[in-house]
């Protein structure tokens, strides 16, 4: 036998090379899709239901009612908290009725 390549060996090498290139391409596409999906999920998580200014308003109102940072307020202070917050968390208006407070709670 001579040292030359047969046509079957050339075809085999071409099929192997083609398979390797296609498999690598598909895996790269898969990894890219997973990374992009994770970025999309993080972007959706950043769009919170509650805007940041409303969250800051809540923190400020809570801090006034819980200056010792005990992470709790009394049930009597809950009414003050709801009155201090603007909608959708509270009913901040000039005059607040009992019915308005109960709707929020």
């Amino acid at each position: 036998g001579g040292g030359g390549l047969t046509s079957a060996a050339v075809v085999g090498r071409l099929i192997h090379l083609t398979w390797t290139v296609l498999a690598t391409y598909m895996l790269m596409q898969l990894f890219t899709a997973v990374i992009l999906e994770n970025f999309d999920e993080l972007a959706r998580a950043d769009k919170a239901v509650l805007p940041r200014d409303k969250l800051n308003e809540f923190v400020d109102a809570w801090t006034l009612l819980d200056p010792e940072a005990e992470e709790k307020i009394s049930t009597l202070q809950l009414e003050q908290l709801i009155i201090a917050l603007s909608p959708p968390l509270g009913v901040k208006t000039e005059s607040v009725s009992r019915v308005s407070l109960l709707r929020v709670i």
Side-chain angles (χ1 to χ4, degrees):
L5 293 175
T6 64
S7 61
V10 171
V11 171
R13 287 184 179 181
L14 283 175
I15 290 173
H16 178 73
L17 180 65
T18 303
W19 172 255
T20 304
V21 169
L22 284 175
T24 303
Y25 176 76
M26 288 172 48
L27 281 174
M28 289 302 294
Q29 291 297 318
L30 178 66
F31 290 141
T32 303
V34 168
I35 290 170
L36 289 175
E37 180 67 25
N38 285 337
F39 276 125
D40 186 49
E41 286 179 21
L42 288 174
R44 277 191 236 144
D46 285 344
K47 295 178 184 174
V49 175
L50 190 64
R52 185 157 306 272
D53 62 323
K54 297 292 184 185
L55 181 61
N56 290 336
E57 179 185 3
F58 175 81
V59 170
D60 293 340
W62 187 280
T63 303
L64 291 174
L65 298 173
D66 184 22
E68 301 296 321
E70 296 174 357
E71 298 181 1
K72 60 184 176 182
I73 60 173
S74 71
T75 53
L76 300 174
Q77 290 175 308
L78 183 59
E79 182 178 341
Q80 295 172 2
L81 179 66
I82 293 171
I83 292 171
L85 297 172
S86 59
L89 296 176
V91 291
K92 189 175 194 176
T93 58
E94 291 297 320
S95 62
V96 178
S97 69
R98 197 84 172 143
V99 174
S100 299
L101 285 174
L102 290 175
R103 280 189 197 144
V104 173
I105 296 174

